Amino acid sequence: MSDAATDGQRPRGIRLPRKARRAQLLDAALEVFVAQGYHAAAMDEIADRAGVSKPVLYQHFPSKLDLYLALVEQSSDRIIDACRHALEATHDNQQRVQGAMAAFFDYVANAQGAFRLVFESDLTNEPAVRAQVDRVTEVCARDISRVIHEDTGLPDEASGLLAVSLVGMAQVSARYWLDTGNSLREDTAAQLVAGLAWRGISGYPLEGQPEGELG
C-alpha cells in the first residue's frame, strides 16, 4: 500500500473528465477546510490530498477563496434542497414540519461536516461568504413562508417572521445537539424539536377553519 493511500491522499496520474475532477477537488478541499478552517488551510495540502499538482488545482479554482466559495455554495444548496424536498413531499403540514427539522439534523450530522463551512465559517466577514450563509436562512424561510401564507392567509410579513423563526429553531437546535454530544438519537432529537415547532405553528388555523386546525 502506498504512502498516499495511508494518509488520505488520492493516487496521482489518473485522468478524469473535468466534472469528475472538480468533484474530486471539492471533496479533498472539504476535508481540509473542515479540519483546519479557511485561514489555516493550504492549497498545497488540498492538491496533495486530491492527488493532483497545484497547477491542476488552480486550473479549476483560481484562488483559495474561489475554492472555498464553491464549497460553501454546494453545501448551502444541499440544505436548501433538503428543506424544499420536505415541503414538497407532502401536503400534511405536521409532516412538513417534521421533515424540515429532520433535514437540518441530517445536515449537521453528516460525517463530512460540511455544515461548518456554512454556519461556523472563520471567513464570515468576507461578503461573498456571508451572502451564502444568509442565503440558507433566506431561501428556506421564503419557501416555508409561502406555505404558511397559502395555508393560513396571514400577511406576507407575518408569514415571513414565523418562517424565519422556524428556520432559526432548526439551525440552532441541530447545531446544539451535535456540539454538545447529546446522547439523544438524531431522529429522536429532530422529533422533539419538530413537536415543539408544530405545537406553535398549528395554532394558526387554515383559512376558513376554526383555530387550531392547521392540517
Side-chain angles (χ1 to χ4, degrees):
M1 182 178 294
S2 69
D3 291 341
T6 60
D7 64 8
Q9 296 176 3
R10 278 68 168 178
R12 294 179 180 270
I14 300 175
R15 295 185 63 85
L16 294 174
R18 183 172 182 82
K19 184 176 181 180
R21 177 67 76 192
R22 179 182 171 88
Q24 179 196 41
L25 295 173
L26 287 172
D27 285 345
L30 176 60
E31 295 174 6
V32 176
F33 281 130
V34 167
Q36 301 185 18
Y38 175 82
H39 294 292
M43 292 293 270
D44 284 332
E45 182 178 355
I46 293 170
D48 286 343
R49 184 67 61 92
V52 302
S53 65
K54 198 157 77 167
V56 169
L57 178 58
Y58 278 112
Q59 286 174 10
H60 291 264
F61 302 99
S63 70
K64 184 168 75 166
L65 180 58
D66 288 323
L67 177 54
Y68 190 81
L69 286 173
L71 274 174
V72 173
E73 182 177 9
Q74 176 180 271
S75 185
S76 299
D77 286 343
R78 285 175 179 168
I79 183 57
I80 289 170
D81 290 345
C83 185
R84 185 167 290 162
H85 175 75
L87 296 176
E88 295 175 350
T90 179
H91 293 291
D92 183 297
N93 284 321
Q94 185 171 8
Q95 291 182 18
R96 281 171 165 165
V97 171
Q98 292 171 345
M101 292 299 170
F104 276 92
F105 275 81
D106 286 345
Y107 180 62
V108 303
N110 186 287
Q112 291 182 310
F115 83 98
R116 298 192 185 280
L117 301 179
V118 179
F119 296 135
E120 299 178 3
S121 172
D122 60 350
L123 200 65
T124 52
N125 288 332
E126 167 63 42
V129 174
R130 183 75 251 170
Q132 285 295 328
V133 175
D134 292 341
R135 184 170 70 95
V136 172
T137 298
E138 291 168 1
V139 176
C140 290
R142 185 177 65 225
D143 290 343
I144 294 171
S145 176
R146 187 180 302 114
V147 172
I148 293 173
H149 173 72
E150 291 173 352
D151 284 354
T152 67
L154 287 171
D156 289 339
E157 294 82 0
S159 299
L161 180 59
L162 291 173
V164 169
S165 299
L166 289 172
V167 172
M169 180 186 295
Q171 289 181 8
V172 173
S173 61
R175 289 167 58 195
Y176 175 82
W177 167 79
L178 183 70
D179 290 342
T180 58
N182 202 301
S183 60
L184 290 172
R185 286 180 13 177
E186 177 189 333
D187 57 346
T188 301
Q191 288 170 10
L192 277 172
V193 179
L196 176 63
W198 175 246
R199 287 183 180 89
I201 198 66
S202 62
Y204 297 89
L206 293 170
E207 281 194 292
Q209 292 190 9
E211 185 174 352
E213 294 190 12
L214 180 58

